[in-house]
mmCIF file of all heavy atoms in Angstrom:
data_model
loop_
_atom_site.group_PDB
_atom_site.id
_atom_site.type_symbol
_atom_site.label_atom_id
_atom_site.label_comp_id
_atom_site.label_asym_id
_atom_site.label_seq_id
_atom_site.Cartn_x
_atom_site.Cartn_y
_atom_site.Cartn_z
ATOM 1 N N ILE A 1 -1.474 15.416 -7.177
ATOM 2 C CA ILE A 1 -0.087 15.911 -7.193
ATOM 3 C C ILE A 1 0.581 15.567 -5.826
ATOM 4 O O ILE A 1 1.826 15.408 -5.809
ATOM 5 C CB ILE A 1 -0.075 17.404 -7.492
ATOM 6 C CG1 ILE A 1 -0.459 17.651 -8.952
ATOM 7 C CG2 ILE A 1 1.325 18.004 -7.202
ATOM 8 C CD1 ILE A 1 -0.537 19.139 -9.355
ATOM 9 N N ASP A 2 -0.184 15.497 -4.789
ATOM 10 C CA ASP A 2 0.376 15.217 -3.459
ATOM 11 C C ASP A 2 1.056 13.836 -3.437
ATOM 12 O O ASP A 2 1.939 13.575 -2.555
ATOM 13 C CB ASP A 2 -0.703 15.272 -2.348
ATOM 14 C CG ASP A 2 -1.796 14.262 -2.550
ATOM 15 O OD1 ASP A 2 -2.209 13.991 -3.692
ATOM 16 O OD2 ASP A 2 -2.253 13.700 -1.547
ATOM 17 N N GLU A 3 0.715 12.948 -4.368
ATOM 18 C CA GLU A 3 1.302 11.605 -4.384
ATOM 19 C C GLU A 3 2.678 11.578 -5.123
ATOM 20 O O GLU A 3 3.367 10.551 -5.072
ATOM 21 C CB GLU A 3 0.366 10.655 -5.077
ATOM 22 C CG GLU A 3 -1.080 10.645 -4.610
ATOM 23 C CD GLU A 3 -1.282 9.934 -3.296
ATOM 24 O OE1 GLU A 3 -0.279 9.440 -2.747
ATOM 25 O OE2 GLU A 3 -2.421 9.903 -2.808
ATOM 26 N N LEU A 4 3.033 12.654 -5.810
ATOM 27 C CA LEU A 4 4.246 12.607 -6.647
ATOM 28 C C LEU A 4 5.529 12.249 -5.890
ATOM 29 O O LEU A 4 6.333 11.549 -6.464
ATOM 30 C CB LEU A 4 4.458 13.988 -7.326
ATOM 31 C CG LEU A 4 3.473 14.307 -8.476
ATOM 32 C CD1 LEU A 4 3.766 15.683 -9.032
ATOM 33 C CD2 LEU A 4 3.562 13.253 -9.569
ATOM 34 N N PRO A 5 5.747 12.648 -4.624
ATOM 35 C CA PRO A 5 7.002 12.239 -3.937
ATOM 36 C C PRO A 5 7.102 10.750 -3.771
ATOM 37 O O PRO A 5 8.195 10.237 -3.461
ATOM 38 C CB PRO A 5 6.863 12.931 -2.546
ATOM 39 C CG PRO A 5 5.985 14.136 -2.821
ATOM 40 C CD PRO A 5 4.990 13.684 -3.863
ATOM 41 N N GLN A 6 6.006 9.977 -3.964
ATOM 42 C CA GLN A 6 6.060 8.545 -3.849
ATOM 43 C C GLN A 6 6.894 7.915 -4.970
ATOM 44 O O GLN A 6 7.260 6.738 -4.937
ATOM 45 C CB GLN A 6 4.661 7.978 -3.788
ATOM 46 C CG GLN A 6 3.986 8.186 -2.467
ATOM 47 C CD GLN A 6 2.494 7.929 -2.482
ATOM 48 O OE1 GLN A 6 2.012 7.037 -3.232
ATOM 49 N NE2 GLN A 6 1.774 8.691 -1.688
ATOM 50 N N PHE A 7 7.201 8.749 -5.999
ATOM 51 C CA PHE A 7 8.116 8.214 -7.023
ATOM 52 C C PHE A 7 9.544 8.018 -6.441
ATOM 53 O O PHE A 7 10.317 7.203 -6.983
ATOM 54 C CB PHE A 7 8.150 9.147 -8.245
ATOM 55 C CG PHE A 7 6.941 8.963 -9.156
ATOM 56 C CD1 PHE A 7 5.899 9.872 -9.086
ATOM 57 C CD2 PHE A 7 6.862 7.879 -10.033
ATOM 58 C CE1 PHE A 7 4.799 9.680 -9.907
ATOM 59 C CE2 PHE A 7 5.790 7.708 -10.840
ATOM 60 C CZ PHE A 7 4.717 8.615 -10.789
ATOM 61 N N TYR A 8 9.864 8.689 -5.370
ATOM 62 C CA TYR A 8 11.081 8.396 -4.644
ATOM 63 C C TYR A 8 11.020 7.018 -4.007
ATOM 64 O O TYR A 8 11.964 6.268 -3.960
ATOM 65 C CB TYR A 8 11.395 9.486 -3.593
ATOM 66 C CG TYR A 8 11.820 10.765 -4.174
ATOM 67 C CD1 TYR A 8 10.955 11.907 -4.142
ATOM 68 C CD2 TYR A 8 13.047 10.962 -4.785
ATOM 69 C CE1 TYR A 8 11.367 13.096 -4.688
ATOM 70 C CE2 TYR A 8 13.455 12.157 -5.350
ATOM 71 C CZ TYR A 8 12.590 13.258 -5.281
ATOM 72 O OH TYR A 8 12.987 14.426 -5.825
ATOM 73 N N ASN A 9 9.791 6.715 -3.444
ATOM 74 C CA ASN A 9 9.562 5.388 -2.895
ATOM 75 C C ASN A 9 9.813 4.301 -3.958
ATOM 76 O O ASN A 9 10.320 3.238 -3.695
ATOM 77 C CB ASN A 9 8.171 5.239 -2.290
ATOM 78 C CG ASN A 9 8.016 5.966 -0.995
ATOM 79 O OD1 ASN A 9 7.266 6.929 -0.863
ATOM 80 N ND2 ASN A 9 8.729 5.545 0.056
ATOM 81 N N VAL A 10 9.280 4.613 -5.177
ATOM 82 C CA VAL A 10 9.401 3.640 -6.275
ATOM 83 C C VAL A 10 10.873 3.446 -6.593
ATOM 84 O O VAL A 10 11.360 2.334 -6.772
ATOM 85 C CB VAL A 10 8.632 4.169 -7.525
ATOM 86 C CG1 VAL A 10 8.913 3.237 -8.716
ATOM 87 C CG2 VAL A 10 7.121 4.218 -7.205
ATOM 88 N N LEU A 11 11.635 4.549 -6.698
ATOM 89 C CA LEU A 11 13.050 4.474 -7.037
ATOM 90 C C LEU A 11 13.829 3.717 -5.946
ATOM 91 O O LEU A 11 14.707 2.927 -6.268
ATOM 92 C CB LEU A 11 13.636 5.891 -7.171
ATOM 93 C CG LEU A 11 15.037 6.021 -7.696
ATOM 94 C CD1 LEU A 11 15.152 5.407 -9.089
ATOM 95 C CD2 LEU A 11 15.473 7.460 -7.706
ATOM 96 N N PHE A 12 13.465 3.921 -4.708
ATOM 97 C CA PHE A 12 14.122 3.232 -3.597
ATOM 98 C C PHE A 12 13.755 1.763 -3.467
ATOM 99 O O PHE A 12 14.370 1.011 -2.734
ATOM 100 C CB PHE A 12 13.825 3.938 -2.248
ATOM 101 C CG PHE A 12 14.328 5.384 -2.208
ATOM 102 C CD1 PHE A 12 13.711 6.286 -1.345
ATOM 103 C CD2 PHE A 12 15.350 5.822 -3.002
ATOM 104 C CE1 PHE A 12 14.149 7.622 -1.325
ATOM 105 C CE2 PHE A 12 15.793 7.124 -2.966
ATOM 106 C CZ PHE A 12 15.187 8.053 -2.145
ATOM 107 N N GLY A 13 12.654 1.347 -4.116
ATOM 108 C CA GLY A 13 12.252 -0.029 -4.137
ATOM 109 C C GLY A 13 11.146 -0.370 -3.107
ATOM 110 O O GLY A 13 10.798 -1.530 -3.013
ATOM 111 N N ASN A 14 10.574 0.643 -2.439
ATOM 112 C CA ASN A 14 9.550 0.381 -1.427
ATOM 113 C C ASN A 14 8.193 0.201 -2.121
ATOM 114 O O ASN A 14 7.318 -0.507 -1.589
ATOM 115 C CB ASN A 14 9.378 1.502 -0.446
ATOM 116 C CG ASN A 14 10.640 1.859 0.250
ATOM 117 O OD1 ASN A 14 11.100 2.983 0.301
ATOM 118 N ND2 ASN A 14 11.299 0.810 0.841
ATOM 119 N N MET A 15 8.022 0.845 -3.287
ATOM 120 C CA MET A 15 6.736 0.840 -3.989
ATOM 121 C C MET A 15 6.971 0.570 -5.444
ATOM 122 O O MET A 15 8.126 0.537 -5.946
ATOM 123 C CB MET A 15 5.988 2.182 -3.798
ATOM 124 C CG MET A 15 5.583 2.493 -2.389
ATOM 125 S SD MET A 15 4.775 4.112 -2.270
ATOM 126 C CE MET A 15 3.295 3.873 -3.226
ATOM 127 N N SER A 16 5.815 0.371 -6.178
ATOM 128 C CA SER A 16 5.875 0.268 -7.615
ATOM 129 C C SER A 16 4.974 1.377 -8.207
ATOM 130 O O SER A 16 4.208 1.990 -7.453
ATOM 131 C CB SER A 16 5.367 -1.089 -8.076
ATOM 132 O OG SER A 16 5.353 -1.249 -9.447
ATOM 133 N N VAL A 17 5.111 1.679 -9.494
ATOM 134 C CA VAL A 17 4.208 2.678 -10.067
ATOM 135 C C VAL A 17 2.780 2.237 -10.003
ATOM 136 O O VAL A 17 1.871 2.969 -9.619
ATOM 137 C CB VAL A 17 4.607 2.948 -11.518
ATOM 138 C CG1 VAL A 17 3.637 3.963 -12.228
ATOM 139 C CG2 VAL A 17 6.032 3.521 -11.640
ATOM 140 N N VAL A 18 2.500 0.948 -10.273
ATOM 141 C CA VAL A 18 1.197 0.351 -10.195
ATOM 142 C C VAL A 18 1.169 -0.802 -9.259
ATOM 143 O O VAL A 18 2.046 -1.651 -9.201
ATOM 144 C CB VAL A 18 0.769 -0.136 -11.596
ATOM 145 C CG1 VAL A 18 -0.673 -0.683 -11.550
ATOM 146 C CG2 VAL A 18 0.823 0.982 -12.613
ATOM 147 N N GLY A 19 0.130 -0.809 -8.403
ATOM 148 C CA GLY A 19 -0.039 -1.899 -7.470
ATOM 149 C C GLY A 19 -1.139 -1.520 -6.454
ATOM 150 O O GLY A 19 -1.680 -0.399 -6.534
ATOM 151 N N PRO A 20 -1.491 -2.420 -5.571
ATOM 152 C CA PRO A 20 -2.455 -2.069 -4.511
ATOM 153 C C PRO A 20 -1.967 -0.887 -3.676
ATOM 154 O O PRO A 20 -0.785 -0.803 -3.293
ATOM 155 C CB PRO A 20 -2.531 -3.313 -3.632
ATOM 156 C CG PRO A 20 -2.036 -4.404 -4.525
ATOM 157 C CD PRO A 20 -0.995 -3.797 -5.405
ATOM 158 N N ARG A 21 -2.829 0.085 -3.386
ATOM 159 C CA ARG A 21 -2.446 1.225 -2.593
ATOM 160 C C ARG A 21 -2.038 0.841 -1.199
ATOM 161 O O ARG A 21 -2.682 -0.029 -0.562
ATOM 162 C CB ARG A 21 -3.559 2.259 -2.540
ATOM 163 C CG ARG A 21 -3.759 3.087 -3.779
ATOM 164 C CD ARG A 21 -2.572 3.976 -4.032
ATOM 165 N NE ARG A 21 -2.397 5.003 -2.986
ATOM 166 C CZ ARG A 21 -1.276 5.682 -2.791
ATOM 167 N NH1 ARG A 21 -0.220 5.445 -3.492
ATOM 168 N NH2 ARG A 21 -1.223 6.581 -1.845
ATOM 169 N N PRO A 22 -0.907 1.381 -0.668
ATOM 170 C CA PRO A 22 -0.491 1.022 0.693
ATOM 171 C C PRO A 22 -1.408 1.612 1.720
ATOM 172 O O PRO A 22 -1.795 2.790 1.609
ATOM 173 C CB PRO A 22 0.913 1.539 0.772
ATOM 174 C CG PRO A 22 0.901 2.735 -0.154
ATOM 175 C CD PRO A 22 0.018 2.354 -1.288
ATOM 176 N N HIS A 23 -1.722 0.878 2.719
ATOM 177 C CA HIS A 23 -2.593 1.403 3.793
ATOM 178 C C HIS A 23 -1.844 1.737 5.084
ATOM 179 O O HIS A 23 -0.732 1.222 5.305
ATOM 180 C CB HIS A 23 -3.707 0.335 4.163
ATOM 181 C CG HIS A 23 -4.726 0.189 3.066
ATOM 182 N ND1 HIS A 23 -5.581 -0.901 3.028
ATOM 183 C CD2 HIS A 23 -5.025 0.891 2.007
ATOM 184 C CE1 HIS A 23 -6.404 -0.797 2.019
ATOM 185 N NE2 HIS A 23 -6.057 0.318 1.350
ATOM 186 N N MET A 24 -2.434 2.568 5.868
ATOM 187 C CA MET A 24 -1.783 2.916 7.210
ATOM 188 C C MET A 24 -1.721 1.650 8.012
ATOM 189 O O MET A 24 -2.553 0.735 7.905
ATOM 190 C CB MET A 24 -2.620 3.991 7.897
ATOM 191 C CG MET A 24 -2.563 5.365 7.203
ATOM 192 S SD MET A 24 -3.353 6.657 8.173
ATOM 193 C CE MET A 24 -5.076 6.187 7.973
ATOM 194 N N LEU A 25 -0.790 1.576 8.954
ATOM 195 C CA LEU A 25 -0.614 0.386 9.751
ATOM 196 C C LEU A 25 -1.880 0.058 10.576
ATOM 197 O O LEU A 25 -2.268 -1.089 10.681
ATOM 198 C CB LEU A 25 0.547 0.607 10.748
ATOM 199 C CG LEU A 25 1.893 0.958 10.116
ATOM 200 C CD1 LEU A 25 2.988 0.982 11.183
ATOM 201 C CD2 LEU A 25 2.308 0.000 8.996
ATOM 202 N N LYS A 26 -2.529 1.103 11.029
ATOM 203 C CA LYS A 26 -3.758 0.939 11.778
ATOM 204 C C LYS A 26 -4.866 0.236 10.940
ATOM 205 O O LYS A 26 -5.534 -0.668 11.396
ATOM 206 C CB LYS A 26 -4.243 2.270 12.294
ATOM 207 C CG LYS A 26 -5.612 2.272 12.982
ATOM 208 C CD LYS A 26 -6.002 3.654 13.418
ATOM 209 C CE LYS A 26 -7.395 3.700 14.037
ATOM 210 N NZ LYS A 26 -8.444 3.394 13.059
ATOM 211 N N HIS A 27 -4.947 0.658 9.711
ATOM 212 C CA HIS A 27 -5.964 0.152 8.861
ATOM 213 C C HIS A 27 -5.604 -1.281 8.427
ATOM 214 O O HIS A 27 -6.476 -2.156 8.222
ATOM 215 C CB HIS A 27 -6.128 1.025 7.588
ATOM 216 C CG HIS A 27 -6.845 2.310 7.933
ATOM 217 N ND1 HIS A 27 -6.779 3.418 7.114
ATOM 218 C CD2 HIS A 27 -7.526 2.707 9.019
ATOM 219 C CE1 HIS A 27 -7.447 4.448 7.672
ATOM 220 N NE2 HIS A 27 -7.872 4.005 8.823
ATOM 221 N N THR A 28 -4.303 -1.593 8.211
ATOM 222 C CA THR A 28 -3.907 -2.918 7.856
ATOM 223 C C THR A 28 -4.313 -3.942 8.932
ATOM 224 O O THR A 28 -4.874 -4.987 8.686
ATOM 225 C CB THR A 28 -2.379 -2.993 7.628
ATOM 226 O OG1 THR A 28 -2.017 -2.150 6.543
ATOM 227 C CG2 THR A 28 -1.950 -4.413 7.355
ATOM 228 N N ASP A 29 -4.060 -3.577 10.198
ATOM 229 C CA ASP A 29 -4.439 -4.412 11.329
ATOM 230 C C ASP A 29 -5.960 -4.585 11.385
ATOM 231 O O ASP A 29 -6.478 -5.709 11.667
ATOM 232 C CB ASP A 29 -3.942 -3.840 12.643
ATOM 233 C CG ASP A 29 -2.421 -3.873 12.779
ATOM 234 O OD1 ASP A 29 -1.783 -4.704 12.028
ATOM 235 O OD2 ASP A 29 -1.838 -3.073 13.515
ATOM 236 N N GLU A 30 -6.660 -3.521 11.152
ATOM 237 C CA GLU A 30 -8.155 -3.543 11.267
ATOM 238 C C GLU A 30 -8.761 -4.376 10.114
ATOM 239 O O GLU A 30 -9.547 -5.294 10.363
ATOM 240 C CB GLU A 30 -8.664 -2.139 11.139
ATOM 241 C CG GLU A 30 -10.215 -2.021 11.110
ATOM 242 C CD GLU A 30 -10.698 -0.604 10.880
ATOM 243 O OE1 GLU A 30 -9.853 0.351 11.003
ATOM 244 O OE2 GLU A 30 -11.887 -0.464 10.563
ATOM 245 N N TYR A 31 -8.260 -4.166 8.851
ATOM 246 C CA TYR A 31 -8.910 -4.881 7.729
ATOM 247 C C TYR A 31 -8.417 -6.322 7.647
ATOM 248 O O TYR A 31 -9.189 -7.219 7.124
ATOM 249 C CB TYR A 31 -8.552 -4.153 6.434
ATOM 250 C CG TYR A 31 -9.147 -2.767 6.357
ATOM 251 C CD1 TYR A 31 -8.408 -1.676 5.823
ATOM 252 C CD2 TYR A 31 -10.440 -2.456 6.814
ATOM 253 C CE1 TYR A 31 -8.922 -0.407 5.771
ATOM 254 C CE2 TYR A 31 -10.964 -1.169 6.751
ATOM 255 C CZ TYR A 31 -10.189 -0.147 6.209
ATOM 256 O OH TYR A 31 -10.689 1.114 6.144
ATOM 257 N N ALA A 32 -7.212 -6.646 8.103
ATOM 258 C CA ALA A 32 -6.768 -8.024 8.104
ATOM 259 C C ALA A 32 -7.688 -8.934 8.898
ATOM 260 O O ALA A 32 -7.817 -10.100 8.535
ATOM 261 C CB ALA A 32 -5.326 -8.089 8.619
ATOM 262 N N ASN A 33 -8.231 -8.391 9.942
ATOM 263 C CA ASN A 33 -9.131 -9.188 10.807
ATOM 264 C C ASN A 33 -10.577 -9.150 10.369
ATOM 265 O O ASN A 33 -11.394 -9.911 10.791
ATOM 266 C CB ASN A 33 -9.030 -8.694 12.259
ATOM 267 C CG ASN A 33 -7.666 -8.916 12.881
ATOM 268 O OD1 ASN A 33 -7.069 -9.971 12.665
ATOM 269 N ND2 ASN A 33 -7.155 -7.955 13.604
ATOM 270 N N ARG A 34 -10.859 -8.183 9.443
ATOM 271 C CA ARG A 34 -12.267 -7.937 9.083
ATOM 272 C C ARG A 34 -12.606 -8.376 7.672
ATOM 273 O O ARG A 34 -13.787 -8.796 7.379
ATOM 274 C CB ARG A 34 -12.585 -6.459 9.246
ATOM 275 C CG ARG A 34 -14.018 -6.103 9.370
ATOM 276 C CD ARG A 34 -14.167 -4.622 9.730
ATOM 277 N NE ARG A 34 -14.259 -3.828 8.547
ATOM 278 C CZ ARG A 34 -13.990 -2.494 8.547
ATOM 279 N NH1 ARG A 34 -13.612 -1.895 9.614
ATOM 280 N NH2 ARG A 34 -14.168 -1.795 7.413
ATOM 281 N N VAL A 35 -11.646 -8.248 6.778
ATOM 282 C CA VAL A 35 -11.871 -8.478 5.306
ATOM 283 C C VAL A 35 -11.172 -9.748 4.926
ATOM 284 O O VAL A 35 -9.945 -9.837 5.052
ATOM 285 C CB VAL A 35 -11.407 -7.295 4.484
ATOM 286 C CG1 VAL A 35 -11.739 -7.532 3.030
ATOM 287 C CG2 VAL A 35 -12.097 -5.984 4.957
ATOM 288 N N ASP A 36 -11.888 -10.700 4.398
ATOM 289 C CA ASP A 36 -11.319 -11.980 3.958
ATOM 290 C C ASP A 36 -10.347 -11.786 2.833
ATOM 291 O O ASP A 36 -10.589 -11.023 1.887
ATOM 292 C CB ASP A 36 -12.438 -12.929 3.509
ATOM 293 C CG ASP A 36 -11.978 -14.351 3.297
ATOM 294 O OD1 ASP A 36 -11.081 -14.793 4.030
ATOM 295 O OD2 ASP A 36 -12.470 -14.995 2.317
ATOM 296 N N LYS A 37 -9.213 -12.473 2.872
ATOM 297 C CA LYS A 37 -8.126 -12.457 1.852
ATOM 298 C C LYS A 37 -7.500 -11.108 1.725
ATOM 299 O O LYS A 37 -6.843 -10.838 0.729
ATOM 300 C CB LYS A 37 -8.674 -12.942 0.520
ATOM 301 C CG LYS A 37 -9.243 -14.398 0.545
ATOM 302 C CD LYS A 37 -9.600 -14.795 -0.835
ATOM 303 C CE LYS A 37 -10.311 -16.166 -0.804
ATOM 304 N NZ LYS A 37 -9.488 -17.258 -0.279
ATOM 305 N N TYR A 38 -7.677 -10.212 2.715
ATOM 306 C CA TYR A 38 -7.055 -8.906 2.648
ATOM 307 C C TYR A 38 -5.559 -8.959 2.505
ATOM 308 O O TYR A 38 -4.969 -8.178 1.738
ATOM 309 C CB TYR A 38 -7.397 -8.121 3.942
ATOM 310 C CG TYR A 38 -6.730 -6.783 4.044
ATOM 311 C CD1 TYR A 38 -7.282 -5.674 3.430
ATOM 312 C CD2 TYR A 38 -5.533 -6.628 4.750
ATOM 313 C CE1 TYR A 38 -6.609 -4.444 3.526
ATOM 314 C CE2 TYR A 38 -4.900 -5.421 4.868
ATOM 315 C CZ TYR A 38 -5.456 -4.309 4.256
ATOM 316 O OH TYR A 38 -4.831 -3.097 4.301
ATOM 317 N N MET A 39 -4.855 -9.909 3.214
ATOM 318 C CA MET A 39 -3.456 -9.954 3.186
ATOM 319 C C MET A 39 -2.843 -10.360 1.854
ATOM 320 O O MET A 39 -1.693 -10.215 1.571
ATOM 321 C CB MET A 39 -2.917 -10.879 4.304
ATOM 322 C CG MET A 39 -3.202 -10.316 5.686
ATOM 323 S SD MET A 39 -2.453 -8.713 6.020
ATOM 324 C CE MET A 39 -0.721 -9.165 5.995
ATOM 325 N N LEU A 40 -3.668 -10.952 1.007
ATOM 326 C CA LEU A 40 -3.182 -11.389 -0.318
ATOM 327 C C LEU A 40 -2.642 -10.242 -1.160
ATOM 328 O O LEU A 40 -1.724 -10.487 -1.932
ATOM 329 C CB LEU A 40 -4.359 -12.084 -1.061
ATOM 330 C CG LEU A 40 -3.980 -12.813 -2.375
ATOM 331 C CD1 LEU A 40 -3.067 -14.008 -2.041
ATOM 332 C CD2 LEU A 40 -5.223 -13.315 -3.064
ATOM 333 N N ARG A 41 -3.076 -9.049 -0.918
ATOM 334 C CA ARG A 41 -2.617 -7.853 -1.639
ATOM 335 C C ARG A 41 -1.122 -7.567 -1.364
ATOM 336 O O ARG A 41 -0.461 -6.867 -2.090
ATOM 337 C CB ARG A 41 -3.477 -6.617 -1.324
ATOM 338 C CG ARG A 41 -3.332 -6.132 0.095
ATOM 339 C CD ARG A 41 -4.508 -5.286 0.508
ATOM 340 N NE ARG A 41 -4.742 -4.163 -0.314
ATOM 341 C CZ ARG A 41 -4.105 -2.940 -0.202
ATOM 342 N NH1 ARG A 41 -3.199 -2.827 0.768
ATOM 343 N NH2 ARG A 41 -4.393 -2.011 -0.988
ATOM 344 N N HIS A 42 -0.585 -8.138 -0.234
ATOM 345 C CA HIS A 42 0.828 -7.887 0.108
ATOM 346 C C HIS A 42 1.752 -8.833 -0.546
ATOM 347 O O HIS A 42 2.950 -8.862 -0.182
ATOM 348 C CB HIS A 42 0.940 -7.897 1.641
ATOM 349 C CG HIS A 42 0.130 -6.795 2.291
ATOM 350 N ND1 HIS A 42 -0.968 -7.086 3.035
ATOM 351 C CD2 HIS A 42 0.266 -5.461 2.298
ATOM 352 C CE1 HIS A 42 -1.502 -5.941 3.512
ATOM 353 N NE2 HIS A 42 -0.743 -4.945 3.072
ATOM 354 N N PHE A 43 1.293 -9.670 -1.472
ATOM 355 C CA PHE A 43 2.166 -10.547 -2.208
ATOM 356 C C PHE A 43 2.970 -9.776 -3.238
ATOM 357 O O PHE A 43 3.941 -10.264 -3.846
ATOM 358 C CB PHE A 43 1.386 -11.615 -2.938
ATOM 359 C CG PHE A 43 1.229 -12.926 -2.161
ATOM 360 C CD1 PHE A 43 -0.026 -13.450 -1.934
ATOM 361 C CD2 PHE A 43 2.350 -13.572 -1.625
ATOM 362 C CE1 PHE A 43 -0.153 -14.628 -1.210
ATOM 363 C CE2 PHE A 43 2.212 -14.715 -0.956
ATOM 364 C CZ PHE A 43 0.995 -15.265 -0.698
ATOM 365 N N VAL A 44 2.581 -8.519 -3.523
ATOM 366 C CA VAL A 44 3.291 -7.639 -4.468
ATOM 367 C C VAL A 44 3.538 -6.273 -3.793
ATOM 368 O O VAL A 44 2.960 -5.960 -2.774
ATOM 369 C CB VAL A 44 2.495 -7.416 -5.804
ATOM 370 C CG1 VAL A 44 2.243 -8.750 -6.439
ATOM 371 C CG2 VAL A 44 1.165 -6.690 -5.524
ATOM 372 N N LYS A 45 4.401 -5.491 -4.423
ATOM 373 C CA LYS A 45 4.672 -4.140 -3.905
ATOM 374 C C LYS A 45 3.446 -3.259 -4.067
ATOM 375 O O LYS A 45 2.708 -3.372 -5.020
ATOM 376 C CB LYS A 45 5.858 -3.489 -4.650
ATOM 377 C CG LYS A 45 7.200 -4.080 -4.296
ATOM 378 C CD LYS A 45 8.263 -3.346 -5.082
ATOM 379 C CE LYS A 45 9.665 -3.931 -4.831
ATOM 380 N NZ LYS A 45 10.703 -3.208 -5.571
ATOM 381 N N PRO A 46 3.258 -2.352 -3.070
ATOM 382 C CA PRO A 46 2.148 -1.376 -3.224
ATOM 383 C C PRO A 46 2.464 -0.403 -4.342
ATOM 384 O O PRO A 46 3.665 -0.219 -4.706
ATOM 385 C CB PRO A 46 2.125 -0.693 -1.885
ATOM 386 C CG PRO A 46 3.472 -0.862 -1.303
ATOM 387 C CD PRO A 46 4.009 -2.149 -1.828
ATOM 388 N N GLY A 47 1.417 0.250 -4.862
ATOM 389 C CA GLY A 47 1.644 1.165 -5.963
ATOM 390 C C GLY A 47 1.196 2.604 -5.717
ATOM 391 O O GLY A 47 0.365 2.807 -4.787
ATOM 392 N N ILE A 48 1.639 3.531 -6.548
ATOM 393 C CA ILE A 48 1.149 4.924 -6.491
ATOM 394 C C ILE A 48 -0.288 4.922 -6.986
ATOM 395 O O ILE A 48 -1.107 5.682 -6.461
ATOM 396 C CB ILE A 48 2.064 5.786 -7.339
ATOM 397 C CG1 ILE A 48 3.479 5.841 -6.747
ATOM 398 C CG2 ILE A 48 1.498 7.219 -7.458
ATOM 399 C CD1 ILE A 48 4.468 6.654 -7.584
#
């Protein structure tokens, strides 16, 4: 239920109902350098 306010993000266009879960900025920087093809998930909007 804590994720429900993200439907405002969906309405505003930042997110989609379904998609890769958005990560914290710190984790994006960390995984981009550590996990191969990590950035490919950002070709679409993140999802709830």
Side-chain angles (χ1 to χ4, degrees):
I1 291 175
D2 62 321
E3 311 283 0
L4 287 179
Q6 287 167 31
F7 282 101
Y8 289 109
N9 285 115
V10 174
L11 188 61
F12 298 154
N14 305 128
M15 294 179 65
S16 181
V17 176
V18 181
R21 282 294 297 161
H23 289 167
M24 293 186 288
L25 305 186
K26 173 181 177 293
H27 289 161
T28 298
D29 293 338
E30 177 186 345
Y31 297 139
N33 296 319
R34 200 173 90 201
V35 182
D36 189 38
K37 300 185 187 298
Y38 174 83
M39 293 302 292
L40 190 63
R41 69 200 302 276
H42 298 108
F43 268 127
V44 300
K45 287 182 183 179
I48 295 176

